[in-house]
Each structure stands twice: as C-alpha cells, then as structure tokens.
Amino acid sequence: MKLVFATNNPNKLKEVQALVPSHIQLLSLVDIGCTEDIPETSPTIEGNAIQKAQYIKENYGYDCFADDTGLEVDILNGDPGVFSARYAGEAKDSNANMDKLLNNLKEKKDRKAQFKTVVALHINNKLETFTGICPGTITIKKRGTKGFGYDPIFLPNGYNETFAELPLEEKNNISHRAKAVKKLVAFLNN
Ligand code: IMP
C-alpha cells in the first residue's frame, strides 16, 4: 500500500517511517511532485493538519495524511502553540524560536509544556484525525544535537535527557508524533 505523508521534513519522514509497518510505503511531497508551500492558515493545530491533507487530495488526487505540531507552554497560555514554526518570524528558524522561548521563560519557575501533534488522514473520501500529546518541561538552556525544532529545550516527563539527547528510537517510543502515528497505524490495520 502506498500512502502520501504530506511532508518534506526528512526528520519527520524518518520518525514516521520507523513507526508504520513495512507494507505501507510512504511517499513524500517531493515523490508526488508537490514543491509549493501548502497553505497553513487555520487558527488551530487540528485545522492546519486537515487543511494540508485536503490540499493534497484536492490538488494531487492521492489519499494522504498530514501532521501539524505545536509546543504549548502552560505559563504562556499555550503559546507558541499553532504559531510554533513562526514564533520568532517568517524565517521559521528553530534556533531563533528556541532563543525567544527561553527568553520569554527567563526566571520563570513553572516551565511545564506539552507537544501536541494532530495527524489528519484523508482516505476513501473520509477524513479522520488522531492526536498525540507528550508532556514535559522547558529546560534553562539548549542541550543535545539530535532531532529537530524545539527538541534541544524539551525535557519529556520521566527523563533527564532532552529530545535532542535521546536516541531516535527512544523519542519515537514516547513522542507526541509517535502517539498520533500509532493511532493512525491501528486505524489503517483495521
Ligand atoms: P510542524 O507543524 O510540524 O511544521 O511544526 C511546527 C513547529 O514545531 C516547527 O517549528 C517544528 O520545528 C516544531 N516541531 C514539530 N515537531 C517537533 C518535534 O518532534 N520536536 C521538536 N520540535 C518540533
């Protein structure tokens, strides 16, 4: 079975490919010739995931799934949330995003946060969504070089290592995206 995963992020592709059974072959956006920026104009994480999956179905005709992720910080009332990618500006620069967040949390004791991923699946003309949440805290400074995005400043609950210090297999056991994708796989297996 071939299924489009609406991403060109090689890190995400690697994470998700490791979670889906081998009979499901994932195609990326490049594989289907989609090189334009897909609109993400919804005010919610769920809305953006749905928008991306619908865009591929409408414009390319493939069944597909898309994900959208946000980092929600309690003391910032859920920010950066749906604005996580552009927190420090349109450049979508992960280092600048982390610097801004660390600065906004300077001297704050409550550093609780959660990653939230919504996966939207468009299949057989039906839409399904799957949500995964990973609770944790924001560190005082960046630690580790693995992963991507906000990984160097996110300490998942129950661990002393940030996502950027943990091996990919470990992140994939507990991450927001893994939880959502495992629900997707269970759905596809039924
Ligand atoms: P997107 O919606 O998946 O494009 O991600 C929104 C923002 O969250 C981007 O800045 C990503 O780099 C970041 N992000 C998404 N997934 C993860 C993750 O697993 N770890 C760290 N940052 C992530």
Side-chain angles (χ1 to χ4, degrees):
M1 175 190 189
K2 286 186 180 170
L3 193 58
V4 175
F5 176 25
T7 188
N8 276 329
N9 178 332
N11 293 294
K12 280 192 189 179
L13 209 53
K14 212 153 99 185
E15 285 184 16
V16 173
Q17 188 75 70
L19 290 163
V20 299
S22 52
H23 71 269
I24 300 176
Q25 189 197 336
L26 295 184
L27 301 178
S28 71
L29 290 175
V30 166
D31 293 331
I32 61 166
C34 173
T35 50
E36 70 273 21
D37 270 348
I38 302 176
E40 292 180 54
T41 52
S42 168
T44 64
I45 293 170
E46 182 179 39
N48 277 335
I50 291 172
Q51 192 178 13
K52 285 189 259 186
Q54 275 174 337
Y55 180 92
I56 295 302
K57 182 68 189 179
E58 278 161 23
N59 292 280
Y60 292 86
Y62 290 99
D63 282 349
C64 94
F65 68 94
D67 79 325
D68 200 60
T69 297
L71 177 59
E72 300 175 329
V73 180
D74 286 17
I75 203 165
L76 302 178
N77 297 316
D79 275 353
V82 72
F83 304 111
S84 293
R86 296 175 168 80
Y87 194 42
E90 282 304 312
K92 297 192 189 172
D93 179 332
S94 289
N95 260 316
N97 286 340
M98 287 189 285
D99 289 340
K100 179 172 177 182
L101 185 54
L102 290 178
N103 198 44
N104 285 343
L105 290 179
K106 214 157 59 186
E107 284 153 30
K108 295 269 194 297
K109 286 223 170 66
D110 178 2
R111 305 181 74 88
K112 286 196 288 296
Q114 62 175 21
F115 269 117
K116 176 178 170 183
T117 288
V118 177
V119 168
L121 171 70
H122 205 304
I123 197 163
N124 302 329
N125 295 316
K126 284 204 196 97
L127 193 70
E128 303 281 343
T129 58
F130 310 93
T131 301
I133 285 175
C134 182
T137 50
I138 303 299
T139 52
I140 303 288
K141 53 184 190 168
K142 298 170 197 164
R143 284 168 30 193
T145 53
K146 299 188 187 70
F148 67 101
Y150 293 87
D151 279 347
I153 61 168
F154 187 78
L155 202 61
N157 281 354
Y159 287 78
N160 294 318
E161 297 95 354
T162 66
F163 268 162
E165 293 173 313
L166 288 172
L168 173 65
E169 310 80 61
E170 199 58 40
K171 180 184 176 191
N172 247 357
N173 274 334
I174 57 168
S175 84
H176 42 293
R177 186 169 303 98
K179 287 175 182 167
V181 170
K182 281 174 188 169
K183 291 179 188 172
L184 165 78
V185 169
F187 177 87
L188 290 171
N189 282 338
N190 278 329

